[in-house]
Amino acid sequence: MLIESVKLLGFRNIKSATLETDADVNVFYGKNGSGKTSVLEALFYLSRAKSFRTNKRMHLLNSESQLLAVSATIEQKGKTHQLGIGLQSNGQAKMKLDGEIIHRLSEASALFPVQIITPESFDVFFSSPKARRSFFDFGLFHVEHGFQKCWSDYSKLLKQTNVLLRKRHVDKREVGFWYKSLIEAAEKIESYREMFFEKHFSIAIEQLTKELKQNENAELIRDLEVKYKKKAFVLNEDQNEELQIQTQIEKDIKYKQVGFGPNRADIVFVKGGEDISNRLSRGQSKMLFYLLEVAMVKIVKLTTKKNLLMLVDDLPSEVDENTRSTMLDMLLHSGAQVFVTGIENKIAKEFMNYTNSVNVFHVEHGTVRPESMELLCP
């Protein structure tokens, strides 16, 4: 497992909490607004230095506190580490690993890989190309070490090029110089992504289908093709390269931004030659998303040998019993440590059908209190 213990201070409505979380499954239950989602949000913030609920980080700070702090004792590849992040009321933030200040977020993210499933995840994933790109880039970041640098280099080039395109008087020759570097950097990103689908994800889907052969939900991924749709700048060998680039620049000047690149690509899910995204019921889309998450986590674990954390906010209750049972089974099947929230403690009892390694916490008015599994499941 990844997390042994967690400490929270001044995060949302949680003034202070110290939790022993050394189990495969950690369940947080309580009424809406009690603070249970804030526990998951705090762990996500520790891994990514951002929230999955708001882009305004100062909203995370408790109104009565001058300091927000989240720290965890984590285990990765046989070694124990202390990872922490702090945010002061003046906006100053600081992250530490084993007592030393770190300046690159990638150091924390690589050591503390976290995936999140929320009630909104399903809708966003199947409607937003950006969400789909982010999902698969998570795997690339952990599996292919060179991807992070390539993406960082490309992002810097893209930002600078867009700045030039937004000038009142655009120097097309200068922009053309940047475009050549941008096209080259974009091609590297695209090759990484295409390789990931071919070498890792397609194989993981096939393997998961075999493992689920006795489960009716396996039909969702049986013969499923995950296709990558590039938005690339393709040079025509029969035409002058400089002329083609200048033609693209003319188009992009009108919109004041680069009109191609991996930041505009998409991923589609195809069966029988047809994109199935719009044909899925709400329950099916949730199940498919769970299966894709499990496939991704298994890829990262198998390739890197890392411990991972899966955060599940509000485990779906409106799905049928068989689908819910499969979701629980799949979460454990992923091999990740699971932190899950719900309104009732019966979630803990359900997980006990699959594992004895379950902790349960009652969250009320920002107070997080551990409860005895022996009393819940005598």
Side-chain angles (χ1 to χ4, degrees):
M1 67 195 65
L2 179 58
I3 301 179
E4 296 178 359
S5 63
V6 179
K7 292 183 179 180
L8 307 178
L9 178 68
F11 195 99
R12 295 279 192 181
N13 64 335
I14 302 176
K15 292 184 179 180
S16 179
T18 300
L19 314 172
E20 296 297 324
T21 55
D22 53 351
D24 292 339
V25 179
N26 292 271
V27 175
F28 299 85
Y29 80 95
K31 296 179 181 179
N32 290 330
S34 62
K36 56 186 186 293
T37 299
S38 296
V39 176
L40 305 193
E41 186 180 19
L43 292 169
F44 189 87
Y45 183 66
L46 179 60
S47 173
R48 310 277 185 94
K50 64 179 181 180
S51 165
F52 60 82
R53 300 166 73 187
T54 178
N55 57 8
K56 298 178 180 179
R57 63 178 184 172
M58 297 308 295
H59 287 183
L60 306 177
L61 187 66
N62 187 284
S63 59
E64 299 179 9
S65 178
Q66 296 297 309
L67 172 68
L68 170 161
V70 183
S71 63
T73 302
I74 62 177
E75 182 184 345
Q76 200 62 272
K77 295 186 176 181
K79 294 183 179 180
T80 301
H81 301 275
Q82 297 290 332
L83 181 65
I85 187 170
L87 175 65
Q88 297 180 6
S89 57
N90 62 4
Q92 184 177 357
K94 190 178 297 184
M95 180 171 278
K96 286 187 176 183
L97 174 61
D98 297 329
E100 299 291 331
I101 295 176
I102 56 176
H103 300 285
R104 291 189 302 170
L105 176 60
S106 59
E107 291 184 53
S109 298
L111 193 66
F112 189 46
V114 173
Q115 282 288 69
I116 178 78
I117 300 176
T118 73
E120 295 75 33
S121 296
F122 318 101
D123 295 329
V124 172
F125 183 78
F126 288 107
S127 63
S128 165
K130 182 179 180 180
R132 291 190 285 274
R133 291 193 303 266
S134 178
F135 172 80
F136 286 99
D137 285 349
F138 168 85
L140 264 169
F141 170 76
H142 290 283
V143 170
E144 296 295 336
H145 299 300
F147 176 74
Q148 173 65 21
K149 185 179 186 306
C150 280
W151 182 257
S152 178
D153 291 344
Y154 172 77
S155 298
K156 291 175 183 177
L157 286 168
L158 180 63
K159 183 178 180 180
Q160 179 59 39
T161 306
N162 281 333
V163 168
L164 295 174
L165 289 172
R166 290 168 187 147
K167 284 186 174 181
R168 179 174 296 181
H169 301 291
V170 179
D171 185 335
K172 295 178 183 177
R173 292 186 63 184
E174 181 184 9
V175 174
F177 170 80
W178 284 91
Y179 263 57
K180 290 181 180 180
S181 297
L182 191 68
I183 292 169
E184 183 180 343
E187 288 176 349
K188 290 181 181 178
I189 299 289
E190 305 289 22
S191 63
Y192 265 119
R193 284 178 172 169
E194 289 179 320
M195 177 275 300
F196 182 77
F197 283 109
E198 181 180 345
K199 182 180 176 182
H200 295 289
F201 206 78
S202 296
I203 295 173
I205 288 292
E206 290 179 12
Q207 184 61 37
L208 193 57
T209 303
K210 293 177 182 178
E211 294 172 3
L212 286 172
K213 60 183 178 181
Q214 302 299 327
N215 192 304
E216 64 182 42
N217 288 297
E219 280 300 319
L220 285 170
I221 56 174
R222 185 171 287 115
D223 300 322
L224 179 70
E225 294 182 79
V226 184
K227 292 191 174 183
Y228 182 59
K229 294 177 63 177
K230 296 193 293 186
K231 183 73 172 179
F233 178 81
V234 181
L235 286 169
N236 188 329
E237 295 180 358
D238 296 331
Q239 298 180 16
N240 179 274
E241 179 179 329
E242 293 289 340
L243 180 60
Q244 291 180 72
I245 291 176
Q246 286 301 320
T247 300
Q248 181 66 45
I249 290 173
E250 290 286 353
K251 292 179 181 178
D252 294 346
I253 287 174
K254 293 180 181 178
Y255 296 98
K256 300 186 182 300
Q257 61 181 346
V258 176
F260 63 90
N263 57 306
R264 293 175 174 269
D266 198 1
I267 296 96
V268 294
F269 305 96
V270 177
K271 290 185 74 170
E274 182 181 358
D275 184 354
I276 66 169
S277 301
N278 296 323
R279 295 198 289 110
L280 297 172
S281 67
R282 187 165 178 79
Q284 287 176 320
S285 66
K286 290 185 177 184
M287 190 68 251
L288 177 57
F289 186 71
Y290 269 78
L291 293 172
L292 294 174
E293 282 280 12
V294 170
M296 181 63 76
V297 169
K298 288 172 79 70
I299 289 170
V300 175
K301 282 190 68 67
L302 179 65
T303 307
T304 67
K305 311 303 179 186
K306 288 181 180 180
N307 292 326
L308 286 87
L309 178 64
M310 186 83 80
L311 305 175
V312 185
D313 188 31
D314 192 17
L315 190 72
S317 56
E318 76 276 14
V319 296
D320 63 79
E321 184 177 345
N322 181 57
T323 298
R324 184 176 171 87
S325 177
T326 302
M327 287 177 173
L328 293 171
D329 189 20
M330 283 295 95
L331 287 173
L332 291 171
H333 191 73
S334 71
Q337 189 180 25
V338 178
F339 279 49
V340 59
T341 69
I343 294 177
E344 299 176 335
N345 61 17
K346 71 176 184 179
I347 300 175
K349 298 178 184 179
E350 291 179 272
F351 272 109
M352 287 294 287
N353 293 324
Y354 303 94
T355 178
N356 291 322
S357 183
V358 180
N359 286 333
V360 61
F361 302 86
H362 184 214
V363 187
E364 188 174 23
H365 304 306
T367 300
V368 187
R369 177 172 53 86
E371 290 192 347
S372 170
M373 283 302 302
E374 293 182 359
L375 294 176
L376 286 175
C377 305

